Amino acid sequence: MNPIEDHMLIRRIQAGDPQAFERLVEKYYDNIFQFCVRRCNGDRVLASDLTQETFLKLVEHIQQYRPTGKFINFLLTIAVNLCNSQYRRRPPELLEWNDSLPLQSSEDPQESILQQERAHVVQQALDRLPDIQREAVILRFYHGRKLREIAAITGVGLPTAKSRLKQGLDKLRRDLGREGILP
């Protein structure tokens, strides 16, 4: 994700270029959708709606956007806020996670099945975390965000972001240890 390319696309969008907006959506849609799926306990329909709403919010506020960091962090901030607003209105349901996210394919079918089972167990453990800890873990390990970025995206201080991540990881270790995924 090239910040210079993002900046150029944003300038073109601000100038009214619809193809630049399409390019930006193509570039980041999957990333935002994957965040929303994980954050919404696997509810792909809700995640799709929230992803669409994220890009609608972007359209509404693109003229005010000023590049101060990575553009993906700006989009993730919008997605985090929309997910939080959604769950203030209606608490999440725990869904059976049967439509897992794409995994790396393995040539060994048995290894592929084991990967899918592990991913399912990890996702279930992740779904049981409190929202604020789940957000931190998803942003760190599924989206590669650094602690400072997590703090900025979630609107909290660095120590709070660090604490949420640590507490979430501790709970995951305990949970996954009981499941036999971790030693």
Side-chain angles (χ1 to χ4, degrees), residues 17-43:
D17 182 348
Q19 280 124 359
F21 183 73
E22 288 177 26
R23 172 69 184 111
L24 200 67
V25 171
E26 286 173 11
K27 186 174 179 181
Y28 289 110
Y29 187 90
D30 287 343
N31 201 315
I32 298 302
F33 178 71
Q34 297 297 342
F35 171 81
C36 290
V37 167
R38 287 186 177 93
R39 180 64 175 79
C40 296
N41 300 334
D43 186 337

Side-chain angles (χ1 to χ4, degrees), residues 4-182:
I4 295 172
E5 179 187 351
D6 290 347
H7 179 68
M8 290 171 41
L9 284 172
I10 292 163
R11 302 285 282 178
R12 288 176 44 205
I13 293 166
Q14 289 171 334
D17 182 348
Q19 280 124 359
F21 183 73
E22 288 177 26
R23 172 69 184 111
L24 200 67
V25 171
E26 286 173 11
K27 186 174 179 181
Y28 289 110
Y29 187 90
D30 287 343
N31 201 315
I32 298 302
F33 178 71
Q34 297 297 342
F35 171 81
C36 290
V37 167
R38 287 186 177 93
R39 180 64 175 79
C40 296
N41 300 334
D43 186 337
R44 289 177 167 274
V45 173
L46 179 57
S48 180
D49 289 346
L50 291 170
T51 302
Q52 292 294 325
E53 202 171 330
T54 297
F55 287 100
L56 288 174
K57 290 281 185 196
L58 175 63
V59 169
E60 290 173 15
H61 301 286
I62 195 72
Q63 293 303 328
Q64 293 84 29
Y65 176 76
R66 299 294 173 256
T68 57
K70 294 178 184 171
F71 182 71
I72 184 64
N73 291 349
F74 180 72
L75 281 177
L76 284 167
T77 300
I78 295 171
V80 163
N81 290 334
L82 288 170
C83 289
N84 289 341
S85 292
Q86 170 66 31
Y87 288 129
R88 276 193 291 277
R89 287 183 298 234
R90 184 187 65 132
E93 298 174 21
L94 282 177
L95 301 176
E96 181 60 33
W97 191 266
N98 57 12
D99 189 10
S100 60
L101 299 172
L103 298 171
Q104 292 179 341
S105 63
S106 172
E107 295 197 17
D108 179 9
Q110 187 175 7
E111 180 60 31
S112 180
I113 291 170
L114 285 173
Q115 278 183 335
Q116 288 179 342
E117 286 177 3
R118 272 183 254 152
H120 178 75
V121 170
V122 169
Q123 185 61 50
Q124 286 179 326
L126 192 60
D127 290 345
R128 288 189 291 268
L129 289 177
D131 291 341
I132 57 177
Q133 293 170 5
R134 183 179 330 123
E135 263 175 14
V137 171
I138 291 169
L139 289 169
R140 176 68 185 102
F141 293 99
Y142 289 97
H143 295 277
R145 302 296 101 194
K146 295 177 181 160
L147 275 172
R148 289 191 190 288
E149 294 172 318
I150 294 169
I153 290 167
T154 57
V156 299
L158 185 60
T160 301
K162 188 174 183 179
S163 173
R164 288 176 180 179
L165 182 60
K166 183 184 181 328
Q167 289 171 354
L169 290 175
D170 288 347
K171 288 178 185 175
L172 282 174
R173 275 189 203 96
R174 281 193 305 271
D175 224 4
L176 295 174
R178 282 191 293 257
E179 295 287 338
I181 300 292
L182 294 176

